[in-house]
Structures are given as structure tokens and as C-alpha cells.
Amino acid sequence: MNKITIFCDKVIEACWLAALVIAPLFMNFHSSVSFEPDKSTVVRSIALVMLAAFLVKRVSLSAAPEGGEPRPANAGRGVKSLLKQPLFAITLLLGLSYLVSTFLSVLPPSSWWGNYARGQGAYSLMGYFVIFAITALTLRERNQTRPTVRSYGRVERILVTIILTSIPVILYGFAQKLKLEVFNWDFSDRIASTMGNPIFLGSYLIMVIPLTIYLIIRSVKESGLAAPKAIFYIIILLAQVLCLVLTESRGPLLGLITAMFFFVVLSGLVFGRRYLSLGSYIAAALVLGFFLLLALPNTPFQGLKTSMGRLGQMLEAREGAAQVRLLIWEGVVKMVQSDSYRAVVGYGPEAMFVPYHKYCPAELITSENKITFPDRSHNEFFDTVITNGLIGALLYLALFGAIVFYGFNALGLVRSKAVLIGLLLLFGLAGLLIPIALGKTIFIAVGVPIGMVTGAGLYLLLCAVCPALCVILPERDDAPRSTLHDSSTLLLIALLSAFIGHFVEVQFGIDLTASRTYFYIYLSIFIAIFTQHIAPQVKGFFAVNKENAVSKQPSQPFSTMCWALIVILILSTMAFDFIYTQVSADNMEKVMRAMMMVALAWLSSAVLFYLLAKKFILASALSAGITGIFFIILTSFLPPLYIPTIPITIFFVWLFINVLVLAWALTRESPPQRGEARPTKLGGEIPNPATPFQVFSSILITVAVVFLIILTDLNPIKGDIIYKIGTGQEKEKQWEIALRYYEQATALSPDKGNYYGASARMCLEKYYAEKDPQKKRGWYDKCLDYLVKSIEYDSMNPTRQANMGRFYRVQGREAKDPDKRTANFTLAIKYYENACNLSSQHPALRNELGEVYHEMGRYDEAIKQYEKSLAISPDFSETHSHIGDAYLEKSTKPNGTGADKDNAARNYYEAVKIQARVMPDLREQNQEIMFERANVTVIKHYPQDYRAYYNLGRYYAGKGRRREAVELLEKALPLADEKTQAVISEMLEKLKTEK
């Protein structure tokens, strides 16, 4: 091995450690979306560096060094043997199915790059699979004399990094709960931490908690329950569980309960404590019974249910968010059934949003101005069906089945393969066929996955009740139940529990950057363990034995330098997350909150390093000092003195310098054991000199990856940052300045659809404002050009078609020539009809089409469109107002009748009734005019009804027109029902006491 090969091996390890830090911790306040797209982009960059290191390493191993020395005998052996491993092969086939579905996608650009809000296109997905494959290969390689100890050290570093990274995530979650938020984000009483969504935070914690429990048990075994290290891990575990509970996310809590159930059951079976396993089934039945009682009406638990909030509604399918999921699944079933070709190959990654418009249930539009067209089904099984088709979905289920099978087998729990496989298949099929037989096809979403989990649970129950039937090894406490080292056995159980908990949770949520990154790194460790490449076999893990081999494993996973670099990466990421503007007296309070969290994270890392290595002064001083340097550099280039694209560039450079220095530090790890080659400065075998070919290839690959990272990762983030600056200028009505920013964003980002639309919007505003006819025509042409580009980029998106319809509608309004007016309105109708065909369940688009007919004076056709909108959603007040407007204007024409006025008043009254129940969000001037007209008309025709007075009173109060608001609310008060009177009285009291 030469120096290049050795260094590349350590770069790979540094990359997976960096991914474990970045995926949950990174966020970018400077960009428009802040969370998921930026997280996935940085993780993708890390995957590219890992791929570059792997390729350079392979080139170095494959090329014969100078002097004719042959390549190592084992070079390439790890790849071939892993490809023969079914679990590894299934995972790669799943990755291949994502590429195939992207190639066949209905929205190729979105499927490759990812949509604007998520960024989980095939390019990002391939990053996760690259991390998985290279990590698995690296952990498996046997190119050292004692690979088990080396591999064990690598896994130890992964575990400690996971615990360290969870600390700042938890701290920020607690800060949000205590109203010590650094930003102006509002998650109500729930917490989201650095994930941007409470569900995503819960999903991440499910992956972390089982491994924390593993470290607690191992620490207790090594040193006892009262040992400081065990106490530290217990405190972290309690904080993690509390943080998950504070998310108030039911899917993650259900996943955690499932993970803990399997953790205890497996531990009891494997380590000869059957009473733990059987007790877990009793406890599971009690927990299930408790939540069933909470779901039943009129039980003594109603008070407790109220105090538990969302968590008390765990099994209520028709409540709030659960109801929304069921409606989304209903549309998904229709979407899959409508196209047999797409049912097989899928629509492609990030492509659900557009075709789903046709199948969205009308009931999903639940309230005023809440038109919901989801981009995910909130169920990973259905998401995989939509993305990859049935072929990909079968691979997804096969992956879970293989994890369970190989995990149970490695633990010595599979005497008959047919029994376990049969139960997984039987209950999975039951989860498919029972909903179909009952006519509840939507429940296939959870039926198949939860059926497989149930099959795994019943198999373990058989193991507990009839061990002779299922368990290979004899039932003795002093005999290991698996062929693995006891510590590896417990780690395998922890990983298996995390997988099962994650599998349950994602059937009610969305699988994104943090959980996906952790899943695939865990899967790499999982494969390395059950293929016995981590540690040798020993006995009696739960026996009282101070000489247990666990304690003989390397107790210090990091050297002082490596530890300091990991902590620097964590603290630097926190500094970038929270320090987003120049420090001044105005924001000093928020800066102090941020610095307090950074200080607590640093202190926690120092305590843990002391507990692991009995020293911490040098590592803590190094991490604090170098992070301070980064802080000074970062704050020197923050807004408002500099544009925010400079800090993200600084962070990227800092991140990869950190990775390379960490790789150098890792080369000094793992001192040679007896019988190994003579050590060198790089630590390991005497290196062969690198050949010119190896050096040239290494430089070429490195340069290519650097350019790829800049063009496809750094530039898109910079583009979105510039876009956010442009939106600020747009709010200030600085149209031309905003346009310049939007054009810059378009040039930097490969995903241009959103930016084209924004640029067209600014050109249209300039068109309105321009007085010079020649310049006005220039803005017209430019706007039209951007709209055409947006449609060419994303032709199936109804929003793009509707934008073109709006453009021609404006031209029709402004045209003086009747023929031009008619021609523009006709084009507007054409594009609106395209949009309505693409999104047949969108009432607002149907209303806009009706408005075009209305402006053309074709009232009957306008009313026909509005009635189609009402058929989609009868609870949309704007539609009733539009019909009222059409009838009111029709009544003023020569062929108008008194019936038209009555129809107008009746529809206005329907609109007012909806508005009284749900106050509409009036964002545009025409909406405000329509709202006022409807309520004023109702007051004239229904003077004894409180609703119109009440609506206008609330509206005027929000506008600061107190006198008019008080007058109208006082008229509404005696007419209203008792419940509404209380609300009105409270509003009046507040208005009268305000100064």
C-alpha cells in the first residue's frame, strides 16, 4: 500500500463521520428553504468526496507500483464478496430502481435534482447509496493484519459521533420549548430543532436512541451502573426521549415504542432472559389496550386524553392530521390504479406533486383557502410505489425482510428459515388482502409494512414460547445465542431495533436527509457485523465478569486530535447555523442564546472525552480555539456588510479542510499490533511509493469532483440564497432589483422552474409600471420569454400553465382593440384549461378560468365554471362570492332579471356563512373587494343575520379601523348565538380598551 491508498481510506472514514454530523445538524438561515434541500446538498457533496477517495484508492490498488510489485492479493475481493451478499445486492438494486424511474420520470428535471422544497431527487438519493456502499466495503476490507480491532475502532468512532451530534440537536429543541428561539420560526408548542419539522426530528431520534441504550448497557457492563460514563449516557438518553416526546409526533412515538419492544425481546431471547421477552409482550398488550381506551368515546380516560394532547389521539384515524393522511392515500390509490404502466415503473423521484392533482380527493380541501396538493403520501411504502412503481416497492419490502431475516439469523434465532420467511410473507400478504377484501384499499399503506412487522413479532413470540422450534443454540445462560462477539450481538440488536422502529415510523411520515443518511450508514455496520467482520466471539455478556472482552476492546476510539476535529466540525456547524448576521447591540440577546448552546455542546463533548480517555484539556482547548478562529472568519463576512453567499462558501471550504485534516489524524490511529508491519509516519505498513499514473489519476479525479461540487452543490445553495434576497426586494416593490437577483439565481441553479416563474412575475410588474410604450413592449417580451421557458422546463406543472393564462388575461384586460382583447382572453382560456386538465381537483384554478369568461361578459359560461369548482369543494367561500358577482353583474344587463339578484344574494350569503366559520386569508386587493361586497350585500338582504356584521367587524379590526369594527360588532352581538356572543364580547372589550 502507498501513501495515497492509506490516506484515501481515512478520507472515506472522515467523510462518513462528517455526514453523521451534517445530516441532522446543518441548516442554512440565509437560503429560502433553509432545511432539507441544503442538508441533502451538503451530504451529497460529502458523498462525492467519499466517491473520489474510493476511486483514487481503487486506482492505487489496481496499478502495479514501480519495480513490478504485484497488486495486493485481496484487492477487489471485498467488492466481489459483498455483491454476493443478498442484503447488499437488494440495497443496490433498490438504488438502481431509483435511477430507472428517474430515466422514465414524468418530470425528469425534478426527479434528478429534486423539487424546490425537499431536494430529494435521484442525485441526492445516489449520494445515500454511495455512502452506504463505500462504508460497507471499507468496514469489510481485510487488508490489515488485525482487521477486527481496526473495524471495531471505526464503529466506535461512529457511535460516539452519533451521541455527540445528538447533544446540540437536543439543546436547540429544548431552547425552542423554553421560548429561547434564535430565529423567528414558529412551531407552536411543538419543537423541530435543526430539522425544520417535528416529525423529522422524531424520525432522527428513533435512529439514535437504540444506540444510546447500547452504549449505556455496555458502559454498565464495563464499569457498573454508578460509573460516570454510564450516568452521562443515561442523561443523554433521557434528554433524547424527552425531546422526542416534546415533538408531539405520533408516528415517531409509535416507532420508538416498536423499537424498544424489539430491543427488549431480542435481548431477552439472545442472552437467555426469556422472562424479559415474555414480559415485553404483556407490556405491549397493555400499552395497546391503553391507547385503544383513549380512542374510545365516553371513557374515564377522557381527561387524561386531553392532557396528553396529540399523543392522546394515537389510534384515531379520523382526527386532524390522520384524516389528511387517509385522504392523501385515497388519491394515491386512484393514481396507481389509473395507469398500469406507471404502477409498474413509477412516476419518478419527486414527481408526485404534479400528476397527483388529478386524483386529489375533494375532501382534502378542508377549509377556507386551504388547498392542499401534497408532494408526499406521508407513507414510505406508498411513496416508493409512486416513485419506483411496484418493482421498487417489492425491493423496498424485500430490503426490510432481508434485514429482519439476516439479523435474526446472525443472532441464532433461525432454526427453520421457512418459518420466519413464511410469517413475514403471510402477514405481509394479509396486510394487502384484508384491506382489499374490506373495500378499504387505502389501508394497504400501513397494512403491508405493519403486517411484516407483526410477522416478525410473532416469530419472536414463538422463539420465546417454544425455543426448541426456532432457536439454534441450547437455552443456557452461559452459552451465547449467536455466533458473534457479545458486544457485537448487542450492537446488532440495537441496529435491528432502530431499523424496525424507523420502518414503522416512516409509514406515517417522510423519510428525508437525516434519517436516510443514518439508515444507510447503520446498514453498512449491520452488514459488517452479521458477516462477522467486527470482532471475535466471547461468552457471557450479561454475566458478572470484569474480564469480559468488551473491556479489552479499544476504550479510546479517538485520539486527542481526532476528537478535537470532530468537535470542531460540530461546533462550526452550530456557529454557521445560528450566527447569521453581524453581531450588534440589536441582536446581542439572540447571539448570546446561540453561543450558550455552542458552549453547552462544547462542555458536553469535553466531559465525554474525559470519561472515555481520562483527559480533555488539550482536545477541549484545540476545539475551542480553532472554532473561535472559524467564528471570527465567519462573522467577518456576514450580512449586512457582505452578501450571504460568502458564508456558505466559507463553510464548504472549512468543512472539507476539516475532513482532510481529520483523515490525516486518522492515519495516526490504531498503533500496530504484534506481527504487523513496521510503522511509519502514516501508521500502518511500509508504504510503496506512488507511481506517476496514480498521482495523475488522483489529481484528475480530485479536480473533477471539486468542479462537480461547485457546479451542482455549492452553486444551487448560493442561487437559493440570492433568490431569498430577491424576495425581500420584491416585498419592497423593487421589481428591477429583484429581477436581477432572480436572474442570478437562475444562472446558478440547475433547478430553474421556480426561478423562471419569479423572473416572469417581476417582468410583469415592470410592464405594469412602465409608461414608455417601447420599454413596455420590452418587458412584455421578456415576461413572455420567461413564462415559455418555465413551461418548457416543467410542462406538466399546472402552476406554469396557469401563470401563462394569467399573463394573457392581463393583456386582455389592457387591450384597447376588441379583437386583441378577445384574442388574449382566448389564449388565457386555453392555458387555464390546460392547467385545469392537469389539476382537475383545484377549485381556485377553475375559479380563475371562470373569471376570464366573466371579464369577457360570458356570464353563463363563467357560472358554469364556478359551479364545477363548487362540485370540487362546496366549502370554498371565494367560489360563492364569484357566483354572486356574476349574477349581480348579469342582473344589470338588458337581459337581466330579478332572479339574478336573488341568486347573487343567496350565493353571497353562502360565502358569508363560510367566512363566519373560517376567516379567510385575504392576500390580494381583489379578494378584499370581493369579501367586502359579499358581506355588504348580505347585510342589505339579511339584516337580521349576525354573520356579515361579524365578518366585517373582524376584518376592519384587523385593518385598524376600530370605530367601524366596534359599530358592526355591536350590531352582531344581539343577533348571534350564545357561543359567538362570548367571542364578540371579548373582541369588543379588547377594541374599546386599546389605545
Side-chain angles (χ1 to χ4, degrees):
M1 294 176 65
N2 57 44
K3 291 182 179 181
I4 293 177
T5 306
I6 297 170
F7 185 68
C8 286
D9 184 69
K10 300 305 179 181
V11 169
I12 290 169
E13 184 176 353
C15 282
W16 75 55
L17 294 175
L20 289 168
V21 173
I22 292 297
L25 195 54
F26 180 78
M27 59 183 181
N28 183 10
F29 174 83
H30 302 294
S31 72
S32 182
V33 184
S34 299
F35 294 102
E36 279 308 316
D38 292 356
K39 284 178 183 290
S40 64
T41 300
V42 181
V43 170
R44 190 170 69 207
S45 299
I46 293 170
L48 285 171
V49 173
M50 184 182 282
L51 179 61
F54 179 77
L55 292 176
V56 171
K57 178 181 173 181
R58 288 294 152 188
V59 168
S60 299
L61 287 173
S62 62
E66 290 179 0
E69 185 181 333
R71 58 184 295 213
N74 59 349
R77 186 180 299 170
V79 177
K80 294 176 182 177
S81 61
L82 262 184
L83 287 173
K84 295 177 182 177
Q85 166 52 242
L87 181 54
F88 186 83
I90 290 170
T91 308
L92 292 188
L93 286 173
L94 180 61
L96 181 62
S97 74
Y98 279 108
L99 286 177
V100 172
S101 66
T102 301
F103 179 74
L104 302 173
S105 172
V106 296
L107 296 170
S110 180
S111 288
W112 179 251
W113 299 112
N115 70 28
Y116 182 69
R118 308 290 188 191
Q120 297 291 311
Y123 192 25
S124 293
L125 294 173
M126 290 307 104
Y128 305 130
F129 286 102
V130 164
I131 291 173
F132 157 74
I134 295 177
T135 304
L137 288 167
T138 305
L139 286 174
R140 187 182 175 87
E141 284 175 342
R142 288 178 171 271
N143 54 9
Q144 296 110 346
T145 306
R146 295 192 56 178
T148 55
V149 173
R150 294 284 176 80
S151 298
Y152 180 89
R154 285 172 164 170
V155 174
E156 278 292 282
R157 287 191 277 271
I158 289 173
L159 298 177
V160 175
T161 301
I162 289 168
I163 298 300
L164 275 177
T165 305
S166 74
I167 294 172
V169 175
I170 294 165
L171 287 173
Y172 186 34
F174 290 159
Q176 289 177 333
K177 188 64 179 179
L178 296 172
K179 306 301 181 185
L180 299 175
E181 175 64 88
V182 177
F183 304 101
N184 296 322
W185 296 321
D186 181 20
F187 302 103
S188 299
D189 291 329
R190 302 172 69 189
I191 63 173
S193 190
T194 54
M195 305 297 164
N197 187 302
I199 298 175
F200 303 163
L201 175 58
S203 181
Y204 158 74
L205 289 170
I206 287 173
M207 303 297 289
V208 175
I209 288 172
L211 294 191
T212 308
I213 295 174
Y214 158 75
L215 289 174
I216 290 172
I217 295 174
R218 208 186 66 185
S219 299
V220 169
K221 175 59 186 174
E222 289 177 356
S223 310
L225 183 61
K229 184 165 64 172
I231 293 172
F232 181 88
Y233 286 141
I234 290 170
I235 293 171
I236 296 299
L237 174 66
L238 293 174
Q240 290 168 351
V241 174
L242 178 59
C243 196
L244 189 147
V245 171
L246 291 175
T247 65
E248 296 186 33
S249 298
R250 291 160 293 188
L253 184 61
L254 185 60
L256 179 64
I257 292 170
T258 307
M260 293 303 94
F261 168 78
F262 276 91
F263 192 105
V264 177
V265 170
L266 287 168
S267 298
L269 288 171
V270 171
F271 293 110
R273 302 290 188 270
R274 269 202 302 160
Y275 61 86
L276 286 177
S277 301
L278 294 171
S280 296
Y281 283 95
I282 296 171
L286 291 174
V287 170
L288 181 61
F290 171 71
F291 282 113
L292 284 172
L293 284 174
L294 285 181
L296 294 174
N298 303 320
T299 64
F301 294 95
Q302 290 304 304
L304 179 61
K305 176 180 176 179
T306 303
S307 64
M308 289 178 66
R310 287 169 51 86
L311 301 181
Q313 301 165 338
M314 185 78 73
L315 300 181
E316 293 189 16
R318 294 292 171 183
E319 176 279 329
Q323 171 71 5
V324 170
R325 280 178 176 80
L326 293 178
L327 291 171
I328 293 173
W329 296 348
E330 183 181 321
V332 169
V333 170
K334 292 178 183 176
M335 189 173 166
V336 173
Q337 291 175 340
S338 67
D339 190 330
S340 56
Y341 171 71
R342 289 295 169 187
V344 174
V345 303
Y347 289 85
E350 301 279 56
M352 172 180 169
F353 175 78
V354 170
Y356 187 82
H357 279 67
K358 291 183 179 180
Y359 311 101
C360 181
E363 295 86 351
L364 197 56
I365 304 166
T366 57
S367 64
E368 175 67 31
N369 281 341
K370 189 177 179 181
I371 301 175
T372 306
F373 293 99
D375 65 341
R376 293 291 195 282
S377 69
H378 292 263
N379 173 270
E380 187 65 14
F381 175 60
F382 269 3
D383 280 336
T384 309
V385 172
I386 293 169
T387 300
N388 300 19
L390 295 175
I391 295 173
L394 289 174
L395 286 170
Y396 170 71
L397 295 175
L399 176 61
F400 173 73
I403 288 171
V404 170
F405 175 81
Y406 285 105
F408 286 8
N409 188 57
L411 293 171
L413 299 176
V414 182
R415 179 182 294 275
S416 172
K417 298 178 182 179
V419 175
L420 175 56
I421 295 173
L423 283 172
L424 291 174
L425 289 174
L426 177 63
F427 281 87
L429 284 172
L432 172 69
L433 298 176
I434 292 174
I436 293 175
L438 296 175
K440 302 289 185 181
T441 317
I442 58 172
F443 287 106
I444 292 173
V446 293
V448 176
I450 302 303
M452 293 182 69
V453 173
T454 304
L458 286 177
Y459 178 81
L460 293 182
L461 181 59
L462 282 177
C463 291
V465 175
C466 306
L469 180 66
C470 303
V471 182
I472 294 176
L473 299 173
E475 187 182 358
R476 297 197 318 270
D477 288 353
D478 61 343
R481 294 199 170 279
S482 79
T483 59
L484 300 172
H485 177 279
D486 283 338
S487 180
S488 295
T489 298
L490 191 65
L491 180 55
L492 185 70
I493 291 171
L495 291 171
L496 195 52
S497 304
F499 289 141
I500 296 173
H502 172 73
F503 184 70
V504 169
E505 185 275 329
V506 293
Q507 308 313 323
F508 305 94
I510 301 174
D511 195 11
L512 292 176
T513 306
S515 54
R516 275 182 165 152
T517 302
Y518 275 52
F519 175 87
Y520 285 110
I521 291 178
Y522 284 13
L523 192 56
S524 305
I525 303 170
F526 185 80
I527 291 174
I529 292 174
F530 81 72
T531 52
Q532 303 183 47
H533 281 66
I534 293 296
Q537 174 184 346
V538 291
K539 298 182 178 181
F541 185 74
F542 275 94
V544 178
N545 179 9
K546 293 291 184 180
E547 298 303 318
N548 192 294
V550 172
S551 61
K552 295 181 180 180
Q553 297 291 359
S555 60
Q556 183 182 337
F558 287 102
S559 68
T560 298
M561 178 62 72
C562 292
W563 182 274
L565 288 165
I566 287 292
V567 175
I568 288 165
L569 181 57
I570 292 171
L571 300 182
S572 301
T573 306
M574 292 179 70
F576 179 83
D577 289 348
F578 298 120
I579 310 299
Y580 57 89
T581 186
Q582 293 284 338
V583 179
S584 64
D586 295 336
N587 63 5
M588 186 55 68
E589 182 181 353
K590 290 185 176 181
V591 170
M592 292 306 296
R593 292 176 185 174
M595 295 307 296
M596 182 62 70
M597 282 188 284
V598 173
L600 287 173
W602 171 79
L603 181 62
S604 300
S605 67
V607 171
L608 183 56
F609 189 44
Y610 174 76
L611 295 173
L612 291 174
K614 302 303 179 187
K615 56 184 178 179
F616 69 97
I617 295 176
L618 180 58
S620 301
L622 274 173
S623 59
I626 298 176
T627 302
I629 293 171
F630 174 75
F631 179 81
I632 293 170
I633 295 171
L634 181 68
T635 53
S636 300
F637 292 94
L638 284 173
L641 299 181
Y642 296 90
I643 62 171
T645 54
I646 297 177
I648 188 62
T649 304
I650 291 171
F651 180 79
F652 261 73
V653 173
W654 183 270
L655 168 65
F656 290 113
I657 288 175
N658 200 317
V659 166
L660 294 176
V661 177
L662 177 59
W664 169 81
L666 287 169
T667 60
R668 306 179 67 83
E669 292 285 312
S670 304
Q673 307 294 323
R674 183 179 300 175
E676 284 192 1
R678 180 170 58 85
T680 68
K681 289 184 178 181
L682 284 171
E685 299 173 0
I686 301 174
N688 295 314
T691 66
F693 171 76
Q694 293 169 344
V695 173
F696 176 77
S697 300
S698 302
I699 293 172
L700 186 64
I701 292 170
T702 302
V703 170
V705 166
V706 168
F707 273 101
L708 197 59
I709 289 173
I710 292 172
L711 292 176
T712 64
D713 294 334
L714 179 58
N715 280 354
I717 297 179
K718 291 167 71 174
D720 198 46
I721 291 170
I722 292 169
Y723 173 75
K724 184 176 182 179
I725 299 171
T727 59
Q729 294 297 320
E730 183 178 352
K731 290 177 183 176
E732 298 294 326
K733 299 186 178 181
Q734 300 294 323
W735 318 122
E736 199 160 357
I737 298 174
L739 176 61
R740 285 203 296 270
Y741 282 121
Y742 292 155
E743 288 175 334
Q744 290 177 38
T746 306
L748 286 169
S749 177
D751 181 16
K752 302 178 185 297
N754 190 62
Y755 303 143
Y756 281 142
S759 299
R761 190 169 63 246
M762 293 305 92
C763 291
L764 194 59
E765 293 290 353
K766 286 296 294 180
Y767 172 84
Y768 290 148
E770 186 58 60
K771 302 300 181 185
D772 185 331
Q774 187 172 354
K775 291 182 179 178
K776 197 175 184 75
R777 181 67 192 184
W779 288 114
Y780 171 91
D781 293 337
K782 200 168 186 179
C783 179
L784 185 59
D785 180 56
Y786 277 122
L787 289 172
V788 169
K789 286 179 178 177
S790 73
I791 290 178
E792 289 174 349
Y793 182 85
D794 197 3
S795 62
M796 289 189 65
N797 192 325
T799 303
R800 311 296 179 219
Q801 301 285 345
N803 284 339
M804 187 68 89
R806 293 173 189 125
F807 174 78
Y808 282 115
R809 180 182 169 190
V810 170
Q811 301 310 308
R813 284 177 189 165
E814 296 199 345
K816 305 299 182 184
D817 184 345
D819 292 336
K820 285 186 178 180
R821 175 182 171 86
T822 301
N824 282 308
F825 276 140
T826 302
L827 284 171
I829 289 170
K830 170 192 169 184
Y831 283 105
Y832 273 122
E833 284 180 341
N834 289 343
C836 289
N837 288 333
L838 289 169
S839 182
S840 57
Q841 296 296 93
H842 200 315
L845 288 180
R846 188 66 63 179
N847 286 344
E848 289 188 51
L849 177 55
E851 286 181 80
V852 178
Y853 283 116
H854 189 153
E855 291 176 25
M856 296 177 75
R858 296 160 63 176
Y859 303 114
D860 290 333
E861 289 170 276
I863 291 169
K864 187 183 297 183
Q865 295 299 327
Y866 297 144
E867 287 174 344
K868 287 182 179 180
S869 176
L870 279 183
I872 298 169
S873 176
D875 209 22
F876 196 49
S877 74
E878 213 173 272
T879 309
H880 290 286
S881 294
H882 280 306
I883 296 176
D885 288 347
Y887 274 119
L888 189 63
E889 195 158 343
K890 183 182 177 184
S891 69
T892 63
K893 300 303 177 184
N895 59 345
T897 65
D900 292 329
K901 288 185 178 181
D902 292 339
N903 284 332
R906 188 171 62 253
N907 277 281
Y908 282 141
Y909 182 56
E910 292 299 320
V912 166
K913 285 198 294 185
I914 296 169
Q915 292 163 4
R917 189 173 71 251
V918 183
M919 187 66 177
D921 181 14
L922 306 175
R923 300 182 181 182
E924 299 174 7
Q925 185 179 4
N926 67 320
Q927 290 178 324
E928 294 181 348
I929 293 170
M930 194 185 317
F931 176 85
E932 285 196 86
R933 182 165 55 233
N935 284 278
V936 168
T937 305
V938 168
I939 288 174
K940 290 178 181 178
H941 287 80
Y942 301 91
Q944 298 304 311
D945 195 291
Y946 78 92
R947 292 177 179 85
Y949 300 111
Y950 177 52
N951 289 342
L952 282 174
R954 289 189 297 170
Y955 170 67
Y956 289 146
K959 287 289 185 179
R961 296 161 65 175
R962 282 195 302 161
R963 185 182 58 80
E964 295 164 279
V966 169
E967 181 181 338
L968 287 162
L969 290 172
E970 285 178 340
K971 290 181 180 179
L973 185 60
L975 302 173
D977 56 75
E978 186 177 341
K979 184 177 179 181
T980 310
Q981 280 182 339
V983 176
I984 294 173
S985 297
E986 186 179 343
M987 291 181 65
L988 281 169
E989 184 179 351
K990 185 177 179 182
L991 285 168
K992 290 177 179 179
T993 55
E994 283 180 350
K995 294 183 179 179

